Amino acid sequence: MGKGRAPCCDKTQVIRGPWSSAEDLKLVTFIQKHGHENWRALPKQADWRIPVSKWEMNTQITERVTRVEQLKTLRKKRVEDQREGLLRCGKSCRLRWINYLRPDVKRGSFSKEEEDTVITLHQTLGNKWSKIASHLPGRTDNEIKNVWNTHLKKKLTLKDEDESPHGDESKESSSISSSSSSSCTIMSSGKRNLEMELDHQKNQGSSTKRPRITENVKDSSPREVSNQCRPTNKPKELSSSSISSNNSNITISSQVDISRPEDDHIGSLLNFRAQYDVHNSSEEVSKPEEITAEIPFESDYDFWNMLDSLSSFQSNEVQLENAEACQSSNFGDVYSTGEEDQNKKWLRYLENELGLDATKDENQESSLNNASETLVPESFQYEIPLKPAELQSGTIGNFHLWPSL
DNA sequence: AACCGCGTCAACCGCTTCCTG
DNA sequence: TCAGGAAGCGGTTGACGCGGT
């Protein structure tokens, strides 16, 4: 051998372990906008897309400077950020996205129906978790694998012991893959047919690609998946968000755990995304549509010109209200009023964690003798929700939203 | 209160499969 | 056709939380 495969990344140069909210945000924001055509290249590209924050602005305001100088500094910092990127292995990004951040990932416990499906499919397919997952919308192979190893395996073992109290029989069914109530021989005879049937079902779609987890979903016929999750052992506040998946035309109700900030901030992001998906249900995940205004890196005369004509923009208050209303309207479809409050709480949490805390900045601002008020166009301090038409063109008026990559 | 054992699950590792030039 | 690279997949690990002692 000697010539082993090159490592996918320099492990000393990447962060490992649990993902932070900020990293999640970077990843989701990037994938929402640009998809994930190249996982390896993604981390390096993912950093600069975080919306310009009030905090970021204010930390640079140590004295009253001209707004141009300020923005020049900011732009310089952005370029530095771009170099830094998301310090994660591409593989890790992919995994995080597929198993956790994807909009159609269903959170929460498996329903009885889902468990039965897993058991049935496992009898047929064995440990082909991705294949099993392709028949359970919203469930990932990793999740199914975990559930199998932690719950279903034991469940079936106990069931076997109950149904076959005699030693000989229990020995026969000791193999989990053949341990369900139906016999192994029946399964082996019917296995190929069922497998072929399952493959056939998958191949009904137009895609000719091999059945990978994302494509499987894509290939599936449109269907509604209801929230059938049983209450979890540890009661969590769950909210269901009806998301038309970008991966498919499937309307999937994904569950987002409000009590967990990581879940919730993603939920809010994805709700943002879902807003436009309603109108663009055929969009691929690799071409997401929701877009936020950003500060361009390059010398963009349109941008600088626009700075001078900011008066045509809405006031920052109105802007913020609109942004919140935009989110609220998304949440409003699925959240109760109380849950909206929680979302706001979460947004505060997220802002705080990411250093975007507006409240904190308000104080800072006053302490800075209102310097930023005149210096920083607050229209840039929040993501600016755009109309689909603007998204299509990538411009607002003469302002080009996207710097060329 | 401290410790321990166990369950859960996100993330990692390394192999396999597929794609592309 | 083949080799190299990238994505996908399945097994495994380890951190964390919880309940029992």
Side-chain angles (χ1 to χ4, degrees), chain A residues 54-83:
Chain A
K54 211 176 214 183
W55 174 86
E56 199 172 8
M57 291 282 192
N58 286 337
T59 53
Q60 295 173 61
I61 306 170
T62 54
E63 59 184 88
R64 186 180 284 262
V65 295
T66 68
R67 76 181 189 202
V68 173
E69 282 172 345
Q70 203 182 112
L71 287 167
K72 276 180 181 173
T73 309
L74 177 65
R75 188 172 52 166
K76 189 179 171 186
K77 185 177 184 299
R78 279 263 169 250
V79 173
E80 286 166 6
D81 284 349
Q82 187 182 20
R83 278 191 220 112

Side-chain angles (χ1 to χ4, degrees), chain A residues 49 122 137 148 246 269 338:
Chain A
R49 293 154 210 283
H122 189 270
W148 176 264
N246 274 356
L269 282 165

Side-chain angles (χ1 to χ4, degrees), chain A residues 44 110 128 142 223 256 329 363:
Chain A
K44 289 185 190 302
F110 275 48
K128 302 293 180 187
N142 207 31
R223 54 187 179 265
V256 178
S329 66
N363 299 333

Side-chain angles (χ1 to χ4, degrees), chain A residues 110-117 119 155 159 228 230:
Chain A
F110 275 48
S111 67
K112 183 75 175 66
E113 290 77 14
E114 284 174 318
E115 285 185 357
D116 290 344
T117 304
I119 291 166
K155 193 175 166 183
K159 196 174 175 182
Q228 294 175 326
R230 294 177 305 180

